[in-house]
Amino acid sequence: MSVAVVSVDLWGTLISYGDRDAEAAWRVREFNLALTAFGHTLPAEHLDTTVRAVRAELLDEQRQHGRQIPVPEQIHTITRRLGIDADDDLVRVLTVAHTHAVLRACPQLIPGAHGCLAALSAAGYRLALASNTLATPGAVTRQILDRHRLTDHFDRLFFSSELGVAKPQAAMFHAIAAQTDTTVDQVVHIGNDWRTDVRGALAAGCQAVWFNPGRKPSRPEAPDAAQLVDVPALVQRLAHQTAPSAAPEASAADAGL
């Protein structure tokens, strides 16, 4: 079985999530300043609880169903929950705070990221980034990629905010194959999330490598590696297999995850 393209997840695979509390606190602080300026004074605790809760709910919805929730819809969900009928001007101001808060988390490179990508490229694979985005659209994510010198490793960058669909939806993996002029069975996807990255890729007809730094129990559906340095060898092994992994059984077995 040949492998032409290796797609790689970003968050939790190549870069850390950073200080999520710092990200959330900055978002809430900026929301409070903007809402107050527009005449909406709210108890600080209520604002903090609501913003964090909506963020968690929308993230879970994306991971469960692969729905890409547009940023304005995210903002309106928060303001409605706060009892505010936000006009376009307020939405625009809140959008800046919402989409740039991740920069306050200061995400860092996961050890071995550059070496892993360089080894995959040297082995002849075309590399594609496949990243779900929610509050952080592709335009902001590109700043993070550039900061960590990751951009030049990739032939193509795929962001769910630009495709309109997110992992684990098969449509995202199909788009990667189509836009890199290959077929899904020639794509290996690498990622740290079993549901969105591994199970999603397998169900779409791709192959997958599970980046498993937490050393959770291995699963037969896909090889796993606790360190990025070990990933290229696993991709090579998949490339020389004669039969694909059994995706349907993997999905059925893990339906409750």
Side-chain angles (χ1 to χ4, degrees), residues 181-238:
D181 297 317
T182 191
T183 55
V184 287
D185 62 317
Q186 293 185 310
V187 176
V188 173
H189 180 69
I190 301 163
N192 70 303
D193 189 282
W194 181 264
R195 178 189 295 275
T196 59
D197 291 309
V198 180
R199 198 169 65 181
L202 293 175
C206 302
Q207 301 175 79
V209 171
W210 183 23
F211 177 51
N212 182 19
R215 300 180 186 272
K216 297 176 182 177
S218 297
R219 305 185 183 200
E221 298 87 357
D224 66 288
Q227 301 179 80
L228 287 175
V229 66
D230 297 323
V231 167
L234 295 179
V235 173
Q236 290 279 56
R237 187 187 307 170
L238 287 174

Side-chain angles (χ1 to χ4, degrees), residues 18-34:
D19 188 339
R20 285 175 152 176
D21 285 337
E23 173 188 346
W26 189 84
R27 178 182 284 110
V28 170
R29 183 166 57 249
E30 293 300 305
F31 268 44
N32 183 49
L33 290 171

Side-chain angles (χ1 to χ4, degrees), residues 6-214:
V6 176
S7 66
V8 188
D9 172 54
L10 179 61
W11 296 97
T13 300
L14 296 177
I15 60 173
S16 70
Y17 295 101
D19 188 339
R20 285 175 152 176
D21 285 337
E23 173 188 346
W26 189 84
R27 178 182 284 110
V28 170
R29 183 166 57 249
E30 293 300 305
F31 268 44
N32 183 49
L33 290 171
L35 291 170
T36 300
F38 277 77
H40 306 287
T41 303
L42 300 170
E45 183 176 351
H46 176 50
L47 177 61
D48 182 90
T49 300
T50 301
V51 171
R52 291 175 187 255
V54 171
R55 177 99 169 86
E57 290 168 14
L58 295 180
L59 180 60
D60 185 64
E61 180 178 348
Q62 185 186 67
R63 286 178 173 170
Q64 291 279 354
H65 307 293
R67 188 170 86 86
Q68 181 61 32
I69 302 107
V71 169
E73 181 180 338
Q74 297 174 45
I75 299 294
H76 280 297
T77 300
I78 293 170
T79 55
R80 281 196 302 269
R81 193 78 61 87
L82 292 168
I84 296 170
D85 183 15
D87 61 20
D88 290 345
D89 289 337
L90 177 54
V91 169
R92 279 193 290 270
V93 173
L94 293 177
T95 293
V96 175
H98 191 54
T99 58
H100 287 70
V102 70
L103 300 178
R104 295 291 173 146
C106 298
Q108 300 298 311
L109 277 175
I110 288 176
H114 281 292
C116 174
L117 296 175
L120 289 168
S121 182
Y125 303 115
R126 287 178 287 145
L127 300 184
L129 183 79
S131 178
N132 276 2
T133 67
L134 190 63
T136 310
V140 178
T141 305
R142 284 182 173 86
Q143 295 179 37
I144 298 171
L145 291 169
D146 289 344
R147 176 180 300 173
H148 292 296
R149 297 181 293 106
L150 289 169
T151 309
D152 290 343
H153 283 290
F154 295 99
D155 297 281
R156 294 292 303 272
L157 304 177
F158 293 92
F159 300 110
S160 62
S161 59
E162 296 172 359
L163 290 173
V165 66
K167 299 173 293 184
Q169 284 286 344
M172 185 160 185
F173 297 101
H174 292 167
I176 292 168
Q179 294 185 37
T180 55
D181 297 317
T182 191
T183 55
V184 287
D185 62 317
Q186 293 185 310
V187 176
V188 173
H189 180 69
I190 301 163
N192 70 303
D193 189 282
W194 181 264
R195 178 189 295 275
T196 59
D197 291 309
V198 180
R199 198 169 65 181
L202 293 175
C206 302
Q207 301 175 79
V209 171
W210 183 23
F211 177 51
N212 182 19

